[in-house]
């Protein structure tokens, strides 16, 4: 195949149909296969005709005229798709079609689209940033200009004739027009074939080796609501998602993907689909869906109330054969420990709230240890650890001690000092360098435990470790066939630490292969920094070897965010990946599924420099009000977020004093609170730790400047710098990936942008300007 001709009416359908934006949909895969000549024809949409002509293919609507406009891709001359993946082939073509439409309609171009004045040439850079010699496509805007002008067809054709990473002189070079003339001269014949009805070929006459494509009506642009039944969702899923949802549960399964790829939705759909299949087969199936916090539990229960039209959710196991229980891990443990621990003894049932209270207790224990014990320990400590304890900001030390206590002392050492001393130190944790250092850390741990004992409470780690002790017994192994679950679904596995992950496999009815289905995006907020995906899989399924037999689906199509926001998030995660060997990059090979209509609401992410913090806070609300008007959305669809606790307090105070209607997020992923803000017309304000699992039209990040994200200081030791930088990458990625259409970042002008943003700025993925108040 030497050329592809795409008519303007077909371009409108191809760029607006959501199923044609990604190769994870069958239609998108078929479109890519046509572009690369893997198949000759397929049903891409009821509105489109795919017609084979001599040496080429025409993609048109069902009615074209001699005046129709065409984008011609000269595949022979440009070798546009050679050495390019199917996903990139589709992406390049989508960008080309959007560019062509902008040229014909005289619309504003973005940074990656250029028309050279004084010439008839244009250049498109479909892949923004990252490379010294970016991939480009050169377009002739007036092919065969004089002759077409005489026939009255001037301006009706665009020719993409050159592609690759090599530059050139667009003003002087001339496109070879052999294939263009073939395409132009074939138009009358193609038009007659379509009118005669020969453009459509019966499906049954297709070769069995050709790709068969399901015809689906395009979903409306504003079809992002989660509130649909299972049957309504199935036609809207990508091929990969649908395969995951409909596959039988017969072992461990991991679903990975960046923020906005639909991991949680896929888990919910799979659970309900499995229960429906069991109901049809008249077989018993009992599932449990474990969430990290009460807020996300309530959100999932509400969405399931619509997805699950069969009433599986909340059904009593003693009455129904098919049931789905939604709960937090603390609630699941409490049921098994109801004989040993009372409700009042839990530090908090919500995991996020529990860890917040845990920080306060550790802070008190740390202050006591520094006052009473540190002077006697100091001369035995390594210089680095002693300096860290004396000079580092106390709250940062508290956060690192919380991690050390939960992950190492309780999780890996089982609260035994001798075992603790034999364990290797965490890569991104306290700068411990000797047994003496560990002795002081253990002293802080004992003081923390004394405080829990004084108030008669247990923290999450206590509850989990106690549960493991009670479940890893002959009595439970005998009872688990009756009281265990047929399968366990875990949402946001990356938020659980090692202790919590060790617990899940005890709740299955059978021992191995464990039917545990879980989602993970380790870049969002790793419960145990330093983990790899293999570590998580090994812990969850309790396998002795390091390569548990586990199936995996990696979701690549991002439905939430615009391409520009995906690129910005990619840059942030890539910077983290270069700093930390275990920092996962979920955006490799990721692609946005935005249609042309959705892209019109987008704008390039920008960094706005403001004079000082007061101006920054004022400007955040000013921009929120302006973005609300530009996007025509509710106030609750605008998020103002920061990574700094002090700035968060000042944002909330400013909003209160100026009577700005606002909701302050207090729990992670509290979608119901955001829904109430929608009813009352409030902007949403929150710390990055609490915005995970949520989605907004626009996100305004406040205080993302040098010295504040991540915090720096002359007194910071190297280990503390690593810890804070790791956490800052996590939080910034989470905050940016909440946005659908717009991201604006505010910082103090004197400080300059955060170093975490510099790769994005250097790659022109983030535009810098001064804020105008």
């Amino acid at each position: 195949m030497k050329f592809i001709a795409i008519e303007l009416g077909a371009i409108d359908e191809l760029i607006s149909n959501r199923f044609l934006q990604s190769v994870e949909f069958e239609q998108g895969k078929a479109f890519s296969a046509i572009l690369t000549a893997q198949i000759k024809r397929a049903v891409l949409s009821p509105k489109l005709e795919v017609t084979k002509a001599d040496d080429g293919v025409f993609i048109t609507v069902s009615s074209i005229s001699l005046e129709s406009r065409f984008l011609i891709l000269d595949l022979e001359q440009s070798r546009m798709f050679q050495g390019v993946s199917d996903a990139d082939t589709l992406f390049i073509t989508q960008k080309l079609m959007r560019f062509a439409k902008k040229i014909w309609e005289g619309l504003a171009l973005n940074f990656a689209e250029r028309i050279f004045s004084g010439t008839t040439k244009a250049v498109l850079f479909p892949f923004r940033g990252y490379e010294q010699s970016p991939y480009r496509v050169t377009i002739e805007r007036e092919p065969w200009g004089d002759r077409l002008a005489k026939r009255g067809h001037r301006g009706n054709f665009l020719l993409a004739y050159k592609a690759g990473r090599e530059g050139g002189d667009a003003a002087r070079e001339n496109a070879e027009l052999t294939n263009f003339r073939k395409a132009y001269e074939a138009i009358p014949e193609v038009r007659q074939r379509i009118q005669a009805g020969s453009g459509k070929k019966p499906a049954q006459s297709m070769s069995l080796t050709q790709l068969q494509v399901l015809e689906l009506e395009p979903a409306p642009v504003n079809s992002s609501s989660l509130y649909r039944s299972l049957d309504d969702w199935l036609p809207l899923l990508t091929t990969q998602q649908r395969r995951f949802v409909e596959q039988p549960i017969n072992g461990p399964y991991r679903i990975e993907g960046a923020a906005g790829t639909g991991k949680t939705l896929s888990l919910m759909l799979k659970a309900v689909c499995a229960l429906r299949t069991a109901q049809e087969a008249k077989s018993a199936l009992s599932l449990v869906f474990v969430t990290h916090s009460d807020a996300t539990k309530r959100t999932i229960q509400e969405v399931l109330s619509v997805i699950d039209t069969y009433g599986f959710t909340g059904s009593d196991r003693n009455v129904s054969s098919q049931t789905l229980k939604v709960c937090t891990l603390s609630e699941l443990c409490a049921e098994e420990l109801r004989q040993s621990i009372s409700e009042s003894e839990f530090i908090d049932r919500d995991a996020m709230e529990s860890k917040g209270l845990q920080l306060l207790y550790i802070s008190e224990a740390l202050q006591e240890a520094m006052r009473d014990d540190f002077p006697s320990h100091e001369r035995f400590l390594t210089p680095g650890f002693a300096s860290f304890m004396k000079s580092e900001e106390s709250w940062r030390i508290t956060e690192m001690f919380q991690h050390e206590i939960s992950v190492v002392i309780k999780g890996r050492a089982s609260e035994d000092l001798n075992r603790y001393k034999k364990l290797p130190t965490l890569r991104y944790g306290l700068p411990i360098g000797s047994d003496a250092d560990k002795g002081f850390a253990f002293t802080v741990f004992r003081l923390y435990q004394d405080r829990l004992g004084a108030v008669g409470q247990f923290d999450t780690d206590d509850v989990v470790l106690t549960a493991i002790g009670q479940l890893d017994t002959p009595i439970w192994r005998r009872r688990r066939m009756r009281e265990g679950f047929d399968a366990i679904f875990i949402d946001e596995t990356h938020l659980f630490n090692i202790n919590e992950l060790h617990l899940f496999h005890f709740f299955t009815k059978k021992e191995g292969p464990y039917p545990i289905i879980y989602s993970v995006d380790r870049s969002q907020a790793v419960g145990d920094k330093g983990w790899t995906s293999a570590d998580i899989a090994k812990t969850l399924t309790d396998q002795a070897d390091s390569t548990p037999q586990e199936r995996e689906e990696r979701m690549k199509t991002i439905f939430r965010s615009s391409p520009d926001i995906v690129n910005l998030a990619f840059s942030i995660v890539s910077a983290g990946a270069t700093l930390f060997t275990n920092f996962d990059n979920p955006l490799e090979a990721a692609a946005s599924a935005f249609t042309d209509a959705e892209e019109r609401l987008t704008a390039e992410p920008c960094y706005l420099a403001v004079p000082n913090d007061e101006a920054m806070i004022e400007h955040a609300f000013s921009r929120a009000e302006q973005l609300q008007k530009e996007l025509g959305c509710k106030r609750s669809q605008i998020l103002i977020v920061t990574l700094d606790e002090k700035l968060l307090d000042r944002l909330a105070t400013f909003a209160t004093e100026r009577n700005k209607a606002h909701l302050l997020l207090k729990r992670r992923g509290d979608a119901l609170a955001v829904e109430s803000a929608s009813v009352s017309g409030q902007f949403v304000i929150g710390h990055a730790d609490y915005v995970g699992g949520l989605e907004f039209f626009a996100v305004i990040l406040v205080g993302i400047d040098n010295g504040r994200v991540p915090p720096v200081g002359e007194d910071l030791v190297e280990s503390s710098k690593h810890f804070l930088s790791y956490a800052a990458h996590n939080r910034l990625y989470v905050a940016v990936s909440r946005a659908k259409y717009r991201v604006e970042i505010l910082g103090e002008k004197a400080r300059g942008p955060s170093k975490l943003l510099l790769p994005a700025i250097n790659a022109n993925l983030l535009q810098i300007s001064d804020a105008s108040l």
Side-chain angles (χ1 to χ4, degrees):
M1 185 170 66
K2 296 181 178 180
F3 70 85
I4 292 177
I6 310 175
E7 185 262 339
L8 177 57
I11 287 176
D12 288 335
E13 172 66 8
L14 290 166
I15 64 178
S16 62
N17 188 324
R18 70 186 297 268
F19 299 108
L20 292 164
Q21 310 306 312
S22 167
V23 293
E24 290 195 4
F25 290 112
E26 284 293 338
Q27 288 167 292
K29 187 176 180 180
F31 184 25
S32 178
I34 288 173
L35 293 170
T36 52
Q38 296 177 48
I39 60 175
K40 296 181 179 179
R41 55 178 282 105
V43 180
L44 302 180
S45 162
K47 300 177 182 178
L48 297 179
E49 295 282 352
V50 180
T51 307
K52 180 73 172 66
D54 290 341
D55 295 326
V57 168
F58 281 77
I59 303 177
T60 66
V61 290
S62 55
S63 176
I64 62 172
S65 70
L66 296 176
E67 307 301 320
S68 295
R69 291 181 169 181
F70 284 89
L71 168 65
I72 312 294
L73 312 184
D74 189 333
L75 302 182
E76 182 180 43
Q77 184 179 180
S78 69
R79 298 181 180 179
M80 189 178 302
F81 303 133
Q82 286 191 11
V84 176
S85 69
D86 290 347
D88 285 346
T89 293
L90 180 58
F91 183 78
I92 292 166
T93 307
Q94 283 286 352
K95 288 293 184 181
L96 264 174
M97 293 188 295
R98 286 163 163 78
F99 188 29
K101 191 170 181 182
K102 286 183 178 180
I103 292 175
W104 281 323
E105 296 183 2
L107 301 177
L109 306 180
N110 62 35
F111 182 84
E113 302 164 336
R114 303 177 189 174
I115 290 178
F116 296 105
S117 59
T119 76
T120 59
K121 303 297 194 300
V123 173
L124 169 71
F125 297 88
F127 306 106
R128 296 278 304 279
Y130 315 134
E131 298 173 326
Q132 291 280 343
S133 300
Y135 183 95
R136 67 197 75 190
V137 180
T138 308
I139 298 170
E140 171 59 63
R141 294 184 290 126
E142 295 287 349
W144 220 10
D146 294 339
R147 185 164 298 189
L148 292 184
K150 294 177 182 177
R151 300 183 184 184
H153 295 161
R154 188 168 192 167
N156 286 359
F157 295 87
L158 297 173
L159 173 65
Y161 68 92
K162 184 178 179 181
R165 303 186 185 280
E166 296 181 2
D169 188 350
R172 297 183 180 180
E173 65 186 24
N174 294 312
E176 168 61 48
L177 299 178
T178 301
N179 289 324
F180 173 78
R181 287 198 295 268
K182 290 181 180 179
Y184 176 76
E185 292 168 356
I187 291 174
E189 178 191 350
V190 170
R191 180 169 173 262
Q192 289 177 359
R193 288 173 60 186
I194 292 174
Q195 289 176 339
S198 60
K200 281 187 177 179
K201 196 173 182 180
Q204 58 267 28
S205 66
M206 286 187 181
S207 166
L208 292 177
T209 61
Q210 292 179 341
L211 181 63
Q212 303 298 303
V213 183
L214 178 67
E215 290 191 33
L216 298 170
E217 288 295 333
V221 171
N222 294 324
S223 62
S224 59
S225 171
L226 289 174
Y227 298 97
R228 305 169 185 270
S229 68
L230 174 64
D231 290 328
D232 288 337
W233 264 119
L234 289 178
L236 302 178
L237 301 179
T238 67
T239 306
Q240 194 176 25
Q241 285 175 322
R242 186 154 185 168
R243 180 174 64 242
F244 169 77
V245 167
E246 295 182 335
Q247 196 158 27
I249 300 172
N250 51 20
Y253 213 131
R254 178 172 74 246
I255 179 172
E256 287 199 53
T261 51
K263 300 184 296 296
T264 300
L265 172 65
S266 297
L267 286 180
M268 289 189 282
L269 294 173
K270 184 174 183 66
V272 176
C273 188
L275 288 164
R276 184 176 70 173
T277 301
Q279 186 182 64
E280 293 170 351
K282 297 182 179 180
S283 60
L285 187 66
S286 179
L287 309 180
V288 62
F289 195 112
V290 183
T291 72
H292 189 257
S293 69
D294 278 332
T296 52
K297 182 191 78 170
R298 290 196 304 271
T299 301
I300 286 170
Q301 284 175 327
E302 184 155 319
V303 176
L304 279 171
S305 68
V306 180
I307 292 176
D308 177 16
T309 56
Y310 309 93
F312 301 129
T313 308
S315 295
D316 189 340
R317 293 179 67 182
N318 296 319
V319 178
S320 302
S321 298
Q322 298 85 28
T323 62
L324 175 59
K325 176 184 179 63
V326 183
C327 63
T328 64
L329 182 57
S330 294
E331 289 173 335
L332 193 60
C333 292
E335 289 188 4
E336 299 308 320
L337 300 176
R338 57 186 177 272
Q339 305 283 327
S340 308
I341 187 169
S342 67
E343 179 76 24
S344 61
E345 290 178 302
F346 282 94
I347 190 170
D348 199 291
R349 282 292 184 87
D350 186 286
M352 293 296 290
E353 296 292 332
S354 173
K355 289 175 182 177
L357 288 171
Q358 186 183 40
L359 271 174
L360 294 177
Y361 286 141
I362 293 174
S363 178
E364 292 178 1
L366 184 60
Q367 290 174 17
E368 181 181 341
M370 291 299 294
R371 183 184 68 243
D372 300 338
D373 299 294
F374 186 76
S376 60
H377 280 76
E378 183 175 6
R379 65 192 182 96
F380 301 104
L381 303 177
T382 58
F385 186 72
S387 173
F388 167 79
M389 295 303 301
K390 290 190 296 185
S391 60
E392 182 58 275
E393 196 269 324
S394 62
W395 194 251
R396 293 175 192 158
I397 299 177
T398 301
E399 289 182 321
M400 297 174 77
F401 260 97
Q402 180 189 42
H403 194 232
E404 186 78 12
I405 289 171
S406 292
V407 173
V408 186
I409 296 178
K410 288 193 173 187
R412 298 178 181 176
S414 300
E415 305 183 13
D416 182 270
L417 178 59
N418 291 327
R419 186 182 296 183
Y420 176 46
K421 288 181 177 180
K422 295 177 182 178
L423 290 172
T425 58
L426 291 173
R427 184 178 178 87
Y428 309 117
L430 291 172
I432 290 172
S434 69
D435 285 353
D437 295 348
K438 288 187 176 182
F440 180 75
F442 206 83
T443 298
V444 176
F445 161 69
R446 283 194 296 102
L447 291 171
Y448 162 68
Q449 286 293 94
D450 290 344
R451 275 164 172 72
L452 285 180
V455 294
Q457 289 185 322
F458 300 94
D459 65 13
T460 302
D461 296 297
D462 288 330
V463 173
V464 169
L465 293 169
T466 302
I468 291 175
Q470 291 196 8
L471 294 170
D472 193 14
T473 61
I475 293 175
W476 172 252
R477 283 194 284 272
R478 189 177 302 171
R479 290 168 48 196
R480 68 188 296 174
M481 273 299 296
R482 184 178 71 255
E483 298 185 17
F485 295 92
D486 292 294
I488 298 173
F489 289 75
I490 311 170
D491 186 36
E492 297 187 299
T493 310
H494 45 269
L495 297 178
F496 295 97
N497 66 24
I498 185 174
N499 302 331
E500 296 160 333
L501 294 185
H502 267 304
L503 182 64
F504 286 104
H505 68 272
F506 286 108
F507 287 106
T508 60
K509 285 186 175 180
K510 298 179 181 179
E511 296 188 42
Y514 294 96
I516 298 177
I517 301 94
Y518 64 99
S519 67
V520 63
D521 175 4
R522 291 189 299 114
S523 296
Q524 287 204 43
V526 185
D528 182 355
K529 297 171 178 64
W531 280 62
T532 65
S533 292
D535 292 331
I536 294 174
K538 179 181 176 182
T539 303
L540 268 179
T541 54
D542 195 37
Q543 296 285 339
D545 60 71
S546 59
T547 54
Q549 305 224 333
E550 173 190 68
R551 286 169 296 170
E552 175 187 353
E553 288 288 355
R554 193 173 185 93
M555 303 301 183
K556 297 178 181 178
T557 302
I558 297 175
F559 298 95
R560 176 186 297 143
S561 303
S562 72
D564 286 334
I565 294 172
V566 171
N567 286 336
L568 176 59
F570 179 88
S571 175
I572 293 167
V573 176
S574 297
T578 62
L579 291 171
F580 312 109
T581 56
N582 66 307
F583 197 98
D584 190 39
N585 188 344
L587 290 161
E588 288 178 339
S592 171
F594 263 39
T595 64
D596 180 58
E598 289 172 317
E599 282 197 17
R600 290 179 187 178
L601 294 173
T602 68
E604 293 183 29
C606 61
Y607 180 90
L608 304 175
V610 292
N612 50 52
D613 284 359
E614 289 75 17
M616 182 165 57
I617 292 169
E618 181 181 348
H619 197 66
F621 285 94
S622 174
R623 288 303 305 152
E625 290 169 355
Q626 184 61 35
L627 286 171
Q628 181 206 354
K629 294 175 183 177
E630 292 178 10
L631 296 173
C633 63
K634 297 180 178 179
R635 287 184 173 183
S636 61
Q637 290 170 317
I638 309 294
L639 170 68
I640 300 174
V641 62
T642 181
L643 279 63
D644 186 279
E645 292 282 359
K646 295 177 182 177
L647 270 180
L648 181 64
D649 292 338
R650 294 177 66 181
L651 284 165
T653 301
F654 178 88
T656 302
E657 292 176 348
R658 301 294 182 89
N659 293 320
K660 303 283 187 183
H662 70 284
L663 166 75
L664 181 62
L665 288 173
K666 297 181 179 179
R667 296 183 177 213
R668 187 186 190 278
D670 197 347
L672 296 183
V674 175
E675 192 174 315
S676 69
S678 174
V679 175
S680 53
Q682 297 173 308
F683 289 116
V684 180
I685 304 174
H687 190 279
D689 286 346
Y690 297 105
V691 301
L694 302 175
E695 178 180 305
F696 300 88
F697 277 26
V699 171
I700 300 169
L701 293 98
V702 182
I704 313 300
D705 41 29
N706 194 30
R708 188 152 35 195
V709 178
V712 298
E714 295 181 1
D715 56 346
L716 282 177
V717 298
E718 197 64 25
S719 180
S720 181
K721 289 179 182 178
H722 279 297
F723 183 89
L724 293 171
S725 185
Y726 198 108
H729 276 90
N730 281 142
R731 289 166 172 160
L732 188 57
Y733 164 67
V734 171
V736 166
S737 60
R738 298 309 98 197
K740 189 172 181 69
Y741 300 118
R742 308 283 183 93
V743 166
E744 294 190 2
I745 303 175
L746 306 183
E748 189 176 353
K749 190 171 184 178
R751 291 175 179 267
S754 164
K755 67 179 182 180
L756 275 60
L757 299 175
L758 294 181
I761 293 170
N762 294 334
N764 292 311
L765 301 175
L766 186 65
Q767 307 306 312
I768 300 182
S769 64
D770 287 343
S772 55
L773 295 174

